[in-house]
Amino acid sequence: MAKISGVDIRPGNIIEYEKGIWKVAKTQHTQPGKGGAFMQVEMKNLIDGRKNNVRFRSADTVEKVRLDTKDFQYLYAEGDSLVFMDKDTYEQINLERDLLGDAADFLQDGMDVVLELWDERPISVDLPEQVEATIVEADAVVKGQTASSSYKPAILDNGVRVMVPPHIESGTRIVVDVYERSYLRKAD
């Protein structure tokens, strides 16, 4: 682990703070007229999910944590738990669905994912940013609606609701942004 100054903290950094592991979401550097500069840091605890806003001065130092990453493959869901297989050892592990948040809706059998580990303990799962899905239900186009005016709601084969352009119909394969839950384009 490396020590960094409080004003050198950047979004995406993983830091150790008050005996917890935190992922930095946002930072704002402030230079008041009086007193020293500081960094306002919004971060989320990777173990219990708590959020915190902390002010770090340049004299403050924090430990920057490097997480180990390992390739896994998603196998199946078992109640509220998801089963993954280590691609090197073929060992299987169960993780709580909550660890993935809303992105869990996009898991597909056999999907390759990257687990981030801290002290051999999985603390986050990264899915591919884009996945293909099939539309199972799409509203009809309203007559007189132009193609550029608005999107219409559609439901994917995994139950997720997204907004799609009016020309997209039921049965169409599309590419979806997993984290924004938004339509990107028709699948090839």
Side-chain angles (χ1 to χ4, degrees):
M1 289 195 282
K3 283 199 178 290
I4 58 171
S5 167
V7 293
D8 291 330
I9 298 171
R10 300 286 173 259
N13 285 164
I14 310 289
I15 61 172
E16 190 174 325
Y17 176 72
E18 292 183 344
K19 296 183 179 141
I21 300 297
W22 301 78
K23 184 169 189 169
V24 177
K26 290 184 200 166
T27 61
Q28 181 180 355
H29 188 267
T30 306
Q31 182 104 28
K34 218 175 189 179
F38 62 87
M39 186 71 76
Q40 189 70 36
V41 178
E42 185 179 307
M43 53 194 184
K44 181 179 179 181
N45 188 307
L46 292 175
I47 306 299
D48 60 23
R50 285 181 299 139
K51 290 186 178 180
N52 200 353
N53 249 316
V54 182
R55 183 178 286 187
F56 291 100
R57 301 212 171 271
S58 56
D60 297 335
T61 59
V62 292
E63 290 284 341
K64 186 174 177 185
V65 178
R66 206 182 113 261
L67 298 175
D68 295 322
T69 58
K70 208 163 192 198
D71 293 332
F72 276 76
Q73 186 176 45
Y74 171 68
L75 298 178
Y76 57 90
E78 198 174 71
D80 278 345
S81 123
L82 305 169
V83 181
F84 295 89
M85 177 183 70
D86 185 322
K87 291 181 75 177
D88 296 329
T89 65
Y90 302 109
E91 186 181 319
Q92 293 182 11
I93 63 166
N94 289 28
L95 297 176
E96 290 300 311
R97 184 180 172 88
D98 295 348
L99 189 64
L100 280 82
D102 291 340
D105 295 336
F106 289 98
L107 278 172
Q108 297 169 351
D109 292 349
M111 178 182 274
D112 291 335
V113 298
V114 176
L115 261 66
E116 290 182 318
L117 307 155
W118 178 66
D119 279 349
E120 304 282 322
R121 179 180 171 186
I123 59 172
S124 80
V125 180
D126 287 335
L127 272 63
E129 289 187 20
Q130 301 172 1
V131 297
E132 286 188 17
T134 304
I135 293 180
V136 292
E137 188 182 314
D139 289 358
V141 178
V142 178
K143 212 162 185 56
Q145 185 180 36
T146 61
S148 63
S149 70
S150 64
Y151 279 42
K152 64 181 184 180
I155 297 177
L156 303 175
D157 52 4
N158 59 7
V160 175
R161 185 183 152 121
V162 295
M163 299 301 282
V164 297
H167 67 276
I168 302 290
E169 296 172 0
S170 199
T172 307
R173 297 248 337 134
I174 63 169
V175 177
V176 181
D177 183 306
V178 170
Y179 296 100
E180 297 288 324
R181 294 179 156 246
S182 61
Y183 166 88
L184 294 173
R185 65 183 178 279
K186 267 183 153 178
D188 298 328

